[in-house]
């Protein structure tokens, strides 16, 4: 089997923030809810120099009865963000059909959610749908703390010919009550980063912390460990969000967080 090597200085993710001296910032709402909410958020984030706009439209939720996303219609809203604001856009895909629809609407980057990364057949089906297509893919860690499963998912895309890959650390489920929604278990992503030098690793403090007040400290911890960027859920009225209301921040708060984050020398 071909061993993964990531040493491309011209990778999509490196180029996005090249020469700016600050980390890659991915931001946007947990879910696209309405066209107006998407546009309003994207306009604010564009002014802050966010590199990549995120919004979930197909939302795999843990329990039935939660908001499961607006579906395909949201792709047109993301396409509008791209055309009118010139921002690159990303959304979560969980099936081959999602991939097909997202590519038709020229979504720039796809991401694989934690509930998909755990399922090799689902990941392979998505990777197969990407054969012959050059689109950057970000792979979130699986919900359970299993580094091999995370690497396995990344390998499936690598072997499908995807060269622009990134890993997103969103923490791991635990039955124990902790201050985090998903425990970070930092040693797992640190090991991933050490094994695959050049693979961009992005911290998702929103899903790790599950609380607005943890977004800054968890982001800073990721940067202190040498992570390449942050993914922060941002909503114009977080308390009213249809998903993940407790962890989203306003665009104004995001600006403060970005302004306070420091890139320090790696401490591990
Ligand atoms: C999300 O990014 O909104 C999401 C559903 O994340 P995860 O797959 O990490 O739970
Ligand atoms: Mn979310």
């Amino acid at each position: 089997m071909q061993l993964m090597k990531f040493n491309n200085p011209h990778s999509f993710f490196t180029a996005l923030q090249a020469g700016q001296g600050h980390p890659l910032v991915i931001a946007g709402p947990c879910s696209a809810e309405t066209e107006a909410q998407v546009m309003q958020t994207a306009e604010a984030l564009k002014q802050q120099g966010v590199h990549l706009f995120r919004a979930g439209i197909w939302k795999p939720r843990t329990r039935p009865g939660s908001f499961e996303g607006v579906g395909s219609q949201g792709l047109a809203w993301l396409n509008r963000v791209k055309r009118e604001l010139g921002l690159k856009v990303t959304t979560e895909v969980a099936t081959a059909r999602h991939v097909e629809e997202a590519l038709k609407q020229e979504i720039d980057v796809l991401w694989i959610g934690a509930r998909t990364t755990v399922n090799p057949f689902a990941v392979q089906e998505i990777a197969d749908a990407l054969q012959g297509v050059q689109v950057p893919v970000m792979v979130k860690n699986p919900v359970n703390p299993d580094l091999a499963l995370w690497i396995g998912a990344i390998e499936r895309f690598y072997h499908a010919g995807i060269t622009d890959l990134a890993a997103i650390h969103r923490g791991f489920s635990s039955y124990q009550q902790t201050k985090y929604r998903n425990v970070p278990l930092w040693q797992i992503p640190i090991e991933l980063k050490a094994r695959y030098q050049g693979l961009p690793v992005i911290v998702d403090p929103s899903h790790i912390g599950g609380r607005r007040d943890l977004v800054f400290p968890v982001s800073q911890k990721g940067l202190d460990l040498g992570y390449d960027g942050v993914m922060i859920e941002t909503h114009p009225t977080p308390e009213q969000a249809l998903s993940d209301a407790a962890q989203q921040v306003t665009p104004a708060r995001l600006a403060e967080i970005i302004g306070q984050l420091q890139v320090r020398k790696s401490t591990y």
Side-chain angles (χ1 to χ4, degrees):
M1 193 166 62
Q2 198 190 353
L3 287 179
M4 293 194 293
K5 278 217 168 70
F6 301 95
N7 51 8
N8 177 6
H10 308 294
S11 92
F12 173 87
F13 296 102
T14 313
L16 268 183
Q17 92 306 18
Q20 294 177 1
H22 60 81
L24 178 68
V25 180
I26 305 169
C30 176
S31 299
E33 298 169 1
T34 65
E35 187 166 6
Q37 167 244 11
V38 166
M39 293 310 294
Q40 187 190 342
T41 314
E43 273 160 27
L45 298 185
K46 160 91 181 169
Q47 285 173 13
Q48 295 174 16
V50 162
H51 302 103
L52 183 58
F53 181 75
R54 64 148 284 155
I57 61 170
W58 296 291
K59 306 289 302 174
R61 305 303 298 280
T62 299
R63 308 260 323 262
S66 310
F67 176 64
E68 292 197 327
V70 296
S72 312
Q73 63 173 324
L75 290 173
W77 308 343
L78 289 178
N79 185 280
R80 206 180 140 203
V81 167
K82 181 179 161 119
R83 277 183 294 111
E84 293 181 20
L85 303 174
L87 262 176
K88 301 242 184 263
V89 295
T90 182
T91 200
E92 174 174 349
V93 290
T95 67
R97 181 181 66 84
H98 294 165
V99 170
E100 229 172 85
E101 291 193 32
L103 294 179
K104 260 191 233 148
Q105 286 280 7
E106 298 174 24
I107 301 303
D108 298 287
V109 178
L110 306 176
W111 93 73
I112 310 302
R115 290 165 192 75
T116 302
T117 305
V118 284
N119 182 341
F121 279 153
V123 172
Q124 191 59 53
E125 184 188 301
I126 297 167
D128 288 346
L130 288 171
Q131 282 280 353
V133 181
Q134 265 317 331
V135 64
V137 175
M138 306 188 291
V139 183
K140 285 196 165 197
N141 64 260
V143 283
N144 56 324
D146 186 335
L147 178 59
L149 199 52
W150 195 2
I151 292 172
I154 296 169
E155 280 174 332
R156 288 176 196 278
F157 292 103
Y158 190 87
H159 293 149
I162 301 294
T163 52
D164 281 317
L165 282 161
I168 302 178
H169 173 211
R170 50 77 78 196
F172 303 91
S173 277
S174 161
Y175 196 60
Q176 242 90 59
Q177 289 285 334
T178 75
K179 77 168 175 173
Y180 300 106
R181 176 179 175 194
N182 290 293
V183 285
L185 303 176
W186 297 101
Q187 67 273 26
I188 295 177
I190 286 171
E191 191 176 333
L192 177 76
K193 202 161 169 51
R195 266 205 231 176
Y196 298 104
Q197 284 172 20
L199 171 70
V201 179
I202 291 155
V203 62
D204 172 348
S206 310
H207 291 91
I208 291 176
R211 285 170 22 191
R212 273 181 273 292
D213 61 321
L214 290 178
V215 170
F216 174 74
V218 174
S219 300
Q220 186 60 62
K221 172 77 179 171
L223 296 185
D224 289 347
L225 292 172
Y227 284 31
D228 304 277
V230 295
M231 182 194 247
I232 298 178
E233 286 189 336
T234 314
H235 191 287
T237 48
E239 298 80 6
Q240 285 151 29
L242 299 182
S243 58
D244 291 351
Q247 69 196 35
Q248 302 204 59
V249 296
T250 60
R253 176 66 191 137
L254 178 76
E256 286 173 7
I257 291 170
I258 295 174
Q260 285 164 8
L261 284 175
Q262 286 181 33
V263 180
R264 299 192 276 241
K265 216 169 142 31
S266 171
T267 51
Y268 75 93

